[in-house]
Amino acid sequence: RILYHPQAPTRVWNASRPEDFPAHGNWSRFRSPRYYQLDYETIWIETADKNRLQAWLLHCPRRNIDEVPTIIFLHGNAGHIGLRLPFFHHVMKSVDCNILALEFRGFGNSSGRPTEKGLIQDAQAALLYLHERDDINEVFLFGRSLGGAVATAAAASAIAVETGLKGLILENTFLSIQDMVSTIINKIVWLNLGDIYDTDFVDYVGNIVMKVIKPFIWLRWKTKNRIAKVRVPILFLSGRIDDLVPPFHMDSLYQIATAEGKTFHNFEYGDHNNTWQEFGYREAITAFLEKII
């Protein structure tokens, strides 16, 4: 419950699944791809540990499904795939691709309980599912925030090699949970002591606090350790006013990555959740896909 929040982050509707939103009115845009007149399939994917995951396979509106790459999209730690429908619609208006919107275990209509190992298995199951389809060709993994940590782990696995993964896209992803906690602790310490004591003392207090709580941080998600094992090209999409995952996390991941063909794009006014609305975002994705395929 500390990290994983399947409940939709809205005070208006108790919408833990897309179909929980009303069928009419403004909230219906989170209910189904039909709202955006997108051609899609509802599919079910079985994982290695026998969980059943719901996914939407959204078809490219301008070209046949087998003529364009397919992006597996892995969302962040809160809500379900329905809340990402405005994003899918925005991207597919100009980027020639299909999107497999995967619902993590324990989220939406998918069975199971979210864990680090389990979410990685979910992404791997999606790779295997698409690999078995005759109408799907080039496949890319795309992860936002927590989804980026999942995507990196899956891209670094043997299954990515087995299924011929073509590339990885990361948006506003963190180095590790421990680094995220350290960021939060330092922010709290600075807010309380920054106007009273000098920089060295404030940093010292922050380090002491981290040493005390570090043994109790059982969540890992060490993206910084896994990204060096990724061998496919990587596109980094970084919102520079992200106040949840500070941009230095993405900067550091880019520096650690050893994959050939890594590309970094800054979005000056992009925050954690709206970087996708920034100018040049879709063009960056298109350029990355076209460079590879």
Side-chain angles (χ1 to χ4, degrees), residues 58-62 88-95 97 99:
L58 310 174
H59 296 194
C60 179
R62 290 167 299 280
F88 301 146
H89 178 241
H90 178 76
V91 168
M92 298 185 80
K93 280 195 293 186
S94 65
V95 180
C97 67
I99 295 178

Side-chain angles (χ1 to χ4, degrees), residues 36 41 45 84 102 107 150 161 178 185 207-208 233 237 263 267:
Y36 296 98
E41 306 168 45
I45 298 173
R84 280 75 186 184
L102 181 68
F107 286 72
V150 181
V161 177
Q178 182 176 310
I185 292 297
N207 290 333
I208 292 297
L237 304 171
T263 306
F267 297 93

Side-chain angles (χ1 to χ4, degrees), residues 128 212 233 277:
L128 290 168
V212 171
Q277 297 174 324

Side-chain angles (χ1 to χ4, degrees), residues 33-277:
R34 285 191 294 270
Y35 179 90
Y36 296 98
Q37 299 181 331
L38 293 172
D39 184 20
Y40 75 104
E41 306 168 45
T42 297
I43 59 177
W44 295 91
I45 298 173
E46 187 174 287
T47 65
D49 58 349
K50 305 303 180 183
N51 277 296
R52 195 164 179 259
L53 311 178
Q54 184 185 20
W56 290 328
L57 180 57
L58 310 174
H59 296 194
C60 179
R62 290 167 299 280
R63 298 171 62 184
N64 293 331
I65 188 172
D66 59 353
E67 295 177 340
V68 297
T70 299
I71 294 172
I72 300 173
F73 181 79
L74 307 175
H75 61 69
N77 72 316
H80 47 68
I81 54 177
L83 292 170
R84 280 75 186 184
L85 279 167
F87 163 72
F88 301 146
H89 178 241
H90 178 76
V91 168
M92 298 185 80
K93 280 195 293 186
S94 65
V95 180
D96 285 335
C97 67
N98 313 302
I99 295 178
L100 179 74
L102 181 68
E103 195 71 275
F104 291 134
R105 63 183 62 204
F107 286 72
N109 290 299
S110 296
S111 67
R113 182 176 64 87
T115 64
E116 181 168 351
K117 179 181 178 181
L119 266 59
I120 296 168
Q121 288 181 326
D122 295 347
Q124 292 172 332
L127 286 170
L128 290 168
Y129 169 81
L130 291 179
H131 185 64
E132 292 170 358
R133 287 185 59 140
D134 294 333
D135 57 350
I136 298 295
N137 294 312
E138 298 89 357
V139 174
F140 292 76
L141 280 167
F142 185 151
R144 175 181 295 152
S145 191
L146 172 64
V150 181
T152 301
S157 71
I159 288 178
V161 177
E162 176 187 334
T163 57
L165 179 70
K166 291 297 184 181
L168 172 65
I169 303 173
L170 299 178
E171 181 181 327
N172 298 336
T173 297
F174 49 79
L175 287 161
S176 71
I177 294 298
Q178 182 176 310
D179 287 294
M180 278 298 301
V181 173
S182 178
T183 297
I184 295 168
I185 292 297
N186 287 333
K187 185 180 295 186
I188 293 172
V189 172
W190 269 99
L191 286 174
N192 287 276
L193 302 179
D195 293 333
I196 304 173
Y197 300 101
D198 61 36
T199 299
D200 290 342
F201 180 76
V202 175
D203 289 342
Y204 172 76
V205 173
N207 290 333
I208 292 297
V209 173
M210 271 304 298
K211 287 181 180 178
V212 171
I213 68 172
K214 184 177 178 179
F216 302 98
I217 304 174
W218 57 270
L219 292 164
R220 295 291 183 261
W221 286 114
K222 294 185 177 181
T223 309
K224 63 183 180 182
N225 292 354
R226 289 167 168 153
I227 198 162
K229 300 174 184 177
V230 175
R231 291 291 172 259
V232 296
I234 309 173
L235 171 62
F236 295 82
L237 304 171
S238 176
R240 304 313 286 181
I241 59 170
D242 187 340
D243 59 359
L244 183 59
V245 179
F248 79 81
H249 285 252
M250 287 286 284
D251 296 342
S252 298
L253 288 173
Y254 177 78
Q255 293 300 323
I256 296 168
T258 58
E260 294 184 8
K262 63 180 182 179
T263 306
F264 197 98
H265 280 272
N266 286 320
F267 297 93
E268 184 178 0
Y269 301 108
D271 66 19
H272 191 67
N273 292 312
N274 78 355
T275 297
W276 60 273
Q277 297 174 324

